Amino acid sequence: MYLHLGQDTVIKVSDIVGIFDMETSTISKSTRNYLSAAQKEGQVVNVSMEMPKSFVLCCDKSRRITVYITQISSSTLLKRTGFIDEISNV
């Protein structure tokens, strides 16, 4: 299954490590430092030029880490993955 992050960006759901709300997660200095380091390493992909609402941390099969910054809210992205539906069926 794939997740649409906005614009022309689609990622595999199986590659997702986490979906994070930009406003609440960047309160932590550790998160800000991580995002800054990822930016310097060239691991950040900005999906939209609009105000970012969330970021998605991905790791593919070759262990390459990519951080996608998107204007779509973390709750909307989570709903799109269908993960919440799976939990409610348990």
Side-chain angles (χ1 to χ4, degrees):
M1 180 190 265
Y2 293 90
L3 176 64
H4 181 253
L5 298 178
Q7 302 300 328
D8 295 327
T9 307
V10 179
I11 58 171
K12 286 184 178 182
V13 171
S14 62
D15 290 349
I16 297 174
V17 175
I19 298 173
F20 303 91
D21 180 79
M22 189 67 81
E23 187 175 323
T24 58
S25 63
T26 54
I27 292 171
S28 167
K29 186 176 180 179
S30 299
T31 305
R32 289 193 311 269
N33 290 342
Y34 177 78
L35 290 174
S36 177
Q39 179 75 37
K40 289 176 186 173
E41 294 286 325
Q43 299 172 332
V44 176
V45 176
N46 199 343
V47 174
S48 173
M49 292 303 141
E50 295 179 31
M51 179 65 95
K53 292 185 181 176
S54 61
F55 66 94
V56 182
L57 179 62
C58 295
C59 184
D60 62 16
K61 290 182 181 180
S62 64
R63 299 280 192 213
R64 187 179 62 147
I65 294 175
T66 307
V67 179
Y68 294 93
I69 298 177
T70 179
Q71 79 281 2
I72 301 172
S73 72
S74 57
S75 60
T76 299
L77 291 172
L78 190 58
K79 288 176 191 174
R80 287 182 182 182
T81 64
F83 183 71
I84 292 176
D85 295 335
E86 291 175 22
I87 291 175
S88 63
N89 289 334
V90 173

